[in-house]
Amino acid sequence: MRKLYDHRAEAAVLESAMINNASIEDGNIILGVTSAYFHNQIYGAIWEAINKLRNHGKPIDFTTLRDALIGKVSESSLIEAISGDHCKTSRNMEYYAKIVKNYSARRALIELSQSIQDSVNNIQTPLAEVIDSAESGLFSVSS
């Protein structure tokens, strides 16, 4: 089975935010990405910290991130995530964000399909409920 993540794209999103803080504030490019979209949980925690800093009007740089992540992410993990090895410019931030979102949706669909299969196999669950649950699950993944 193919891997359903791209850690390089995830790191590129983080690095893009570090390179150009304004790219986050410009709005719709990245604001649709949540920490849950990241397969790498450390990257997700870093993304969450980036958004908290942005929401509080603070600069997003290594020092502010390190301070925001004390007790959550080690300094060496932070350095590895935002080392600059994955992108040198924020120009392609939207491209990398789409990759991250695409893989996240695919992982959500796999989870949903497993849930649907479990519901279908549970004879006690009325069929209408199984169908409603499947439809709402698909809608939540697509939105």
Side-chain angles (χ1 to χ4, degrees):
M1 180 160 92
R2 187 177 195 278
K3 66 179 178 103
L4 292 177
Y5 58 88
D6 184 339
H7 287 169
R8 290 177 301 183
E10 292 182 4
V13 169
L14 299 175
E15 290 173 6
S16 293
M18 297 290 296
I19 292 168
N20 182 3
N21 290 189
S23 61
I24 299 172
E25 295 164 10
D26 286 345
N28 54 15
I29 291 178
I30 286 299
L31 293 181
V33 174
T34 69
S35 60
Y37 287 5
F38 290 84
H39 179 263
N40 184 314
Q41 292 179 345
I42 291 172
Y43 293 178
I46 294 168
W47 183 249
E48 193 171 311
I50 286 171
N51 278 294
K52 283 182 181 176
L53 289 169
R54 180 187 59 82
N55 290 338
H56 289 98
K58 295 185 177 179
I60 300 163
D61 57 32
F62 179 79
T63 302
T64 58
L65 274 175
R66 183 193 62 213
D67 292 347
L69 291 165
I70 289 175
K72 297 176 187 170
V73 173
S74 71
E75 191 168 321
S76 62
S77 294
L78 178 60
I79 291 169
E80 181 182 325
I82 58 172
S83 64
D85 293 340
H86 302 95
C87 80
K88 303 294 183 206
T89 176
S90 63
R91 251 183 304 185
N92 299 321
M93 187 180 218
E94 185 174 5
Y95 172 77
Y96 294 122
K98 284 180 182 177
I99 291 171
V100 171
K101 290 170 85 172
N102 182 303
Y103 279 125
S104 177
R106 289 176 183 274
R107 291 191 305 272
L109 284 170
I110 287 173
E111 288 178 27
L112 176 62
S113 69
Q114 292 168 344
S115 174
I116 291 170
Q117 186 174 3
D118 291 345
S119 294
V120 167
N121 287 326
N122 182 353
I123 301 300
Q124 306 299 332
T125 306
L127 183 57
E129 189 177 314
V130 172
I131 292 170
D132 286 345
S133 177
E135 286 176 346
S136 68
L138 280 172
F139 180 75
S140 71
V141 169
S142 66
S143 56

